[in-house]
Amino acid sequence: MPAPLRPSEVEVAAAAPERKPLARRDIALSAGLYLLGVVAAFGWAYDLFAKLFDLVHNRCTAKRDFSVQCIVIRPPASALWGLLIGGGGMFLALVGAMVLASVAAMTGRRAWIWTAVALPVILAAGGAGHVLVATAIS
């Protein structure tokens, strides 16, 4: 059996603020913004994945004597940095928004702020990755 609370502990327990209820509008707005971020991330990921094939394939030409001559081109470092910045930045923004929005919602704060902050980060990371990878393709 637990020991009874001392009077000072009872005052502290009584003075503790009550948890705010979850606001449905806030949760719906947060979910909508997060879904918009996921769609934007998939769009940039599709773009980066398509550019990846331009980077890794060899340039081959067929000659008249039915031989094939291939030139192996090593992609520049900016292509790797573009893939890391684009993919990694979008991934971190999505995961961070999900975690921070869920914590904010459970503590009674505004959850949509974190998903709204993540949306421009996703767009900027995807755009930076696109520019870096596109400059590497000749």
Side-chain angles (χ1 to χ4, degrees):
M1 177 159 213
L5 294 176
R6 291 181 279 181
S8 61
E9 292 174 343
V10 171
E11 291 172 8
V12 170
E18 212 172 296
R19 183 189 281 181
K20 295 179 186 177
L22 296 175
R24 290 181 190 220
R25 184 185 310 163
D26 184 44
I27 300 298
L29 182 61
S30 178
L33 284 171
Y34 188 78
L35 184 62
L36 189 62
V38 168
V39 168
F42 270 109
W44 281 119
Y46 179 78
D47 177 62
L48 290 174
F49 191 67
K51 290 193 182 326
L52 181 66
F53 284 106
D54 287 339
L55 285 172
V56 297
H57 81 281
N58 297 330
R59 310 283 197 263
C60 297
T61 56
K63 294 188 171 189
R64 288 186 172 219
D65 61 350
F66 299 106
S67 65
V68 177
Q69 181 180 6
C70 293
I71 302 169
V72 178
I73 300 171
R74 182 176 177 197
S78 68
L80 177 62
W81 282 111
L83 292 171
L84 287 175
I85 289 171
M90 291 185 297
F91 174 76
L92 287 176
L94 283 173
V95 170
M98 182 179 12
V99 169
L100 291 172
S102 61
V103 168
M106 294 309 292
T107 57
R109 296 183 179 98
R110 293 185 181 134
W112 64 269
I113 293 173
W114 298 109
T115 53
V117 167
L119 193 57
V121 172
I122 291 168
L123 295 175
H130 169 79
V131 168
L132 286 171
V133 174
T135 57
I137 299 172
S138 54

